[in-house]
Amino acid sequence: MKHKILIIILAVAIFIPSVVAIVNYSSQQGGDANSHNTVSVTLTDTAQNTYVFQRADSGTRDFMDFILKMNADAIKIGELPTTVNMDSFYTASVKTAVTELAYKYYLTKSSADCYFTDSAGDAYKISEEDARHFINSSYAAALYDNGTPAVLTVLQETMAPDSSQWHFKNTAGDFVDADTTFTVKDETEEWEFEGGLKAISFSIQPDSLRAKITGSDGQVLFDDLFDNVSNFTYENDSKVNVELEAKWFEDSKRDYYGEQTYKFAATLRAPAEFMAGATSLEIGSFICVTGKNVKNPEAVTFASEPSINYTPTFFADGEYVQALVPFGCDLSAGTYALSFTYGGVTQKIEISLTARANPFRDKTLNINQTVVQASGSDEAIQKAKDALLPIAQAASATRMWDGSFGTGVAESALSVGFGHMITVPGMSSSFRHTGVDYALDKGTDVKAVNAGEVVYSGYLDYAGNVVCIEHGYGLKSWYAHLGSADVNVGDKVSKGDKIGTTGGSGLTGTDGVHIGLSVYDVPVCQYPLWDSGTWKQIPMYSFK
């Protein structure tokens, strides 16, 4: 009998490992993920922060098993409720020994409203107990307004901290340590600051921000509150090392607190400066603004108070940048504060805009009604706008003009001046005169008012034969009602070169020519730029 019992025990002992192996094999080969067959879980939250939990990592294994338990405990439902925000979800990739399963978790701070869908698209409701456990964990940070660490933006780019401690208050009222491992960088970054270190900002303003700046030799150059960094002086293109220490204090009225440090190398460029060539001018005129220490002209931003209804475009000119700023005919006299911002530094220039010595007046021009019907119709005007507006709104980055501007023809032939409101009987509306009309016999030479490149030469019913010359930075001269246009697009011209002849084409009642200037599509007065004018050239500030 003893022998039989022994034989049975031995048989069982031999059989048990086989059974265990079969059970384990079956578990690992099954379609469901569980604590036996899952190798890893990769969880990505709504802010695209990724957490990886691995079976081999004792530090993350427990939460991985919790996710598997949460899935197993969930109750299958027909479909997700209509109240679920389908655009906001966590994703999970669950890897087993033989397959990879995908899940989407639709989570809220309410434990009664948490769901997920599996790889097959089936919907499940998460138990309230499991939902509470998850939404009160550090991995639910993205569900809370201040759950993720404050973000530092430098020159419109995000800078990662070197160290980060962040704590947020969960639905249970407890502070949770946020997982900040994915936010911390592991190498020193290099940045270029134009205008000093002021071009930084936090998504949540810290209660305390200190800066320590050291030179390449290790000498401490600045160690104080960041608010005082504007007192730090340096030479252009200085290379320094910067340490920032930001703190958000714990407060019973807040749902967050933390501390982050940043270390980076920086090249500091001198602050940008902007100066106007003239600060007093008449309505309808324009100025040139020159800036220095501006590496990227396109990054200059502009504001004016009151508005001048125009945003200037800066162009590089050697080591400086320049922009033309028109003050349109419809503006009122007064003081205009122009603000130019670059590299976090804003500079204001006050402009005194005065009433015109010779005010704009209303004028009536009588033109043959046959001409008005053919050339002054709304259709003809619209066709002219469609053809010329794209030309006006383009610009050359090369300054071609130099010195004073000519009148194009004899100044004594001037018949209708700039800026007046013109009424032509038979036309549907009055219009602002955008240039100067000269009354001359047909065939008189018309000359370029300054050097430039021909950007338009053609015929339009409204303007007749038209030539447009770009002088640089969007400044253009316009020649209309020509008898002939003797230049082609792309031709380079110098001041005084013949571009055509006077005539009577288009909407005009006399022979002659219309000559105007514009900055982009804003008509401007040319009188001050003539040899007989008050400026005799475009005033330009020199930093030298």
Side-chain angles (χ1 to χ4, degrees):
M1 181 67 179
K2 291 180 179 179
H3 291 295
K4 290 183 179 181
I5 293 174
L6 181 60
I7 291 171
I8 293 172
I9 291 174
L10 289 173
V12 171
I14 293 171
F15 184 66
I16 285 176
S18 299
V19 172
V20 171
I22 291 171
V23 170
N24 283 337
Y25 177 81
S26 175
S27 174
Q28 292 177 5
Q29 299 300 313
D32 294 331
N34 54 54
S35 60
H36 297 290
N37 65 6
T38 300
V39 176
S40 68
V41 174
T42 300
L43 186 70
T44 302
D45 66 19
T46 55
Q48 300 307 303
N49 300 314
T50 298
Y51 310 90
V52 179
F53 310 95
Q54 295 180 317
R55 174 68 53 199
D57 182 0
S58 59
T60 61
R61 184 188 306 144
D62 288 347
F63 204 83
M64 182 182 76
D65 287 341
F66 163 72
I67 293 175
L68 298 173
K69 172 185 176 299
M70 180 174 70
N71 291 352
D73 291 348
I75 299 174
K76 188 173 183 179
I77 56 178
E79 57 185 17
L80 293 174
T82 57
T83 55
V84 170
N85 181 1
M86 302 296 291
D87 296 324
S88 179
F89 52 83
Y90 280 53
T91 62
S93 173
V94 179
K95 290 185 178 180
T96 71
V98 295
T99 190
E100 183 173 348
L101 305 173
Y103 298 85
K104 289 183 178 180
Y105 297 91
Y106 300 89
L107 306 170
T108 71
K109 288 187 287 186
S110 170
S111 59
D113 299 305
C114 295
Y115 305 85
F116 73 84
T117 57
D118 62 12
S119 296
D122 294 327
Y124 295 81
K125 188 177 190 305
I126 301 172
S127 74
E128 289 196 36
E129 179 182 355
D130 288 339
R132 273 194 300 272
H133 183 76
F134 187 95
I135 63 180
N136 286 325
S137 73
S138 62
Y139 305 110
L143 300 179
Y144 296 83
D145 292 339
N146 297 309
T148 54
V151 176
L152 172 61
T153 301
V154 178
L155 302 172
Q156 300 181 337
E157 294 185 24
T158 299
M159 178 185 289
D162 287 81
S163 66
S164 177
Q165 298 178 29
W166 195 257
H167 316 272
F168 66 94
K169 188 177 290 186
N170 63 19
T171 58
D174 301 321
F175 277 106
V176 179
D177 297 340
D179 186 336
T180 60
T181 55
F182 54 83
T183 66
V184 177
K185 67 175 184 287
D186 55 5
E187 59 183 20
T188 301
E189 297 177 319
E190 296 185 6
W191 297 77
E192 287 189 2
F193 288 84
E194 298 182 85
L197 291 169
K198 279 294 188 179
I200 74 168
S201 62
F202 285 89
S203 58
I204 304 175
Q205 188 64 26
D207 298 302
S208 172
L209 179 60
R210 293 191 64 87
K212 182 178 180 180
I213 304 173
T214 57
S216 55
D217 58 357
Q219 180 182 357
V220 177
L221 306 175
F222 179 89
D223 190 358
D224 199 352
L225 293 175
F226 186 80
D227 286 343
N228 299 324
V229 77
S230 57
N231 298 328
F232 170 58
T233 58
Y234 55 90
E235 295 183 359
N236 193 28
D237 288 339
S238 294
K239 296 186 182 300
V240 298
N241 296 305
V242 182
E243 297 180 29
L244 299 178
E245 180 186 65
K247 293 183 178 180
W248 296 261
F249 300 141
E250 185 174 358
D251 189 317
S252 60
K253 296 180 181 179
R254 291 180 179 168
D255 57 2
Y256 65 91
Y257 68 94
E259 180 176 337
Q260 299 190 120
T261 62
Y262 305 81
K263 297 179 181 179
F264 55 93
T267 299
L268 304 181
R269 305 192 187 281
E273 295 182 50
F274 297 93
M275 299 295 290
T279 56
S280 179
L281 64 156
E282 290 186 348
I283 294 170
S285 301
F286 70 101
I287 59 173
C288 179
V289 174
T290 302
K292 73 173 185 176
N293 302 326
V294 177
K295 186 178 180 180
N296 178 14
E298 295 180 358
V300 178
T301 59
F302 173 80
S304 64
E305 181 59 40
S307 174
I308 64 170
N309 304 317
Y310 181 84
T311 299
T313 299
F314 279 89
F315 299 92
D317 186 4
E319 57 184 307
Y320 303 104
V321 297
Q322 294 173 328
L324 301 180
V325 184
F327 291 78
C329 296
D330 295 325
L331 296 179
S332 300
T335 299
Y336 289 76
L338 310 185
S339 297
F340 301 89
T341 301
Y342 183 77
V345 176
T346 298
Q347 183 175 343
K348 289 188 177 181
I349 299 175
E350 285 197 350
I351 300 297
S352 175
L353 190 63
T354 62
R356 297 189 62 81
N358 294 309
F360 298 137
R361 297 182 294 276
D362 294 338
K363 287 181 174 291
T364 298
L365 298 181
N366 292 304
I367 299 175
N368 183 285
Q369 287 301 301
T370 301
V371 174
V372 172
Q373 292 173 12
S375 300
S377 67
D378 291 343
E379 181 182 2
I381 294 172
Q382 188 60 50
K383 284 184 177 180
K385 287 181 179 179
D386 292 343
L388 299 180
L389 187 59
I391 304 297
Q393 292 177 336
S396 169
T398 301
R399 176 163 62 91
M400 292 172 274
W401 83 81
D402 184 48
S404 64
F405 279 65
T407 55
V409 292
E411 183 180 342
S412 59
L414 192 154
S415 60
V416 181
F418 168 79
H420 301 305
M421 291 300 298
I422 304 299
T423 297
V424 175
M427 291 185 66
S428 61
S429 61
S430 300
F431 57 89
R432 177 83 64 183
H433 199 225
T434 59
V436 177
D437 284 352
Y438 299 89
L440 289 162
D441 292 338
K442 287 183 179 180
T444 304
D445 287 352
V446 177
K447 300 174 181 179
V449 299
N450 212 307
E453 179 180 347
V454 177
V455 291
Y456 185 87
S457 180
Y459 179 84
L460 296 164
D461 288 339
Y462 177 64
N465 292 312
V466 179
V467 168
C468 178
I469 299 174
E470 164 76 31
H471 301 285
Y473 302 172
L475 177 63
K476 295 174 178 65
S477 56
W478 303 83
Y479 312 79
H481 310 308
L482 296 168
S484 65
D486 299 334
V487 288
N488 299 308
V489 172
D491 287 349
K492 301 291 196 301
V493 296
S494 298
K495 177 182 176 181
D497 285 352
K498 178 183 176 182
I499 58 92
T501 60
T502 56
S505 59
L507 181 68
T508 180
T510 60
D511 292 335
V513 64
H514 169 99
I515 300 177
L517 281 184
S518 72
V519 175
Y520 282 86
D521 56 354
V522 180
V524 291
C525 185
Q526 56 199 284
Y527 303 155
L529 310 182
W530 290 347
D531 288 324
S532 60
T534 54
W535 289 345
K536 296 181 173 53
Q537 61 180 350
I538 299 174
M540 303 180 71
Y541 185 86
S542 175
F543 284 97
K544 297 178 180 179

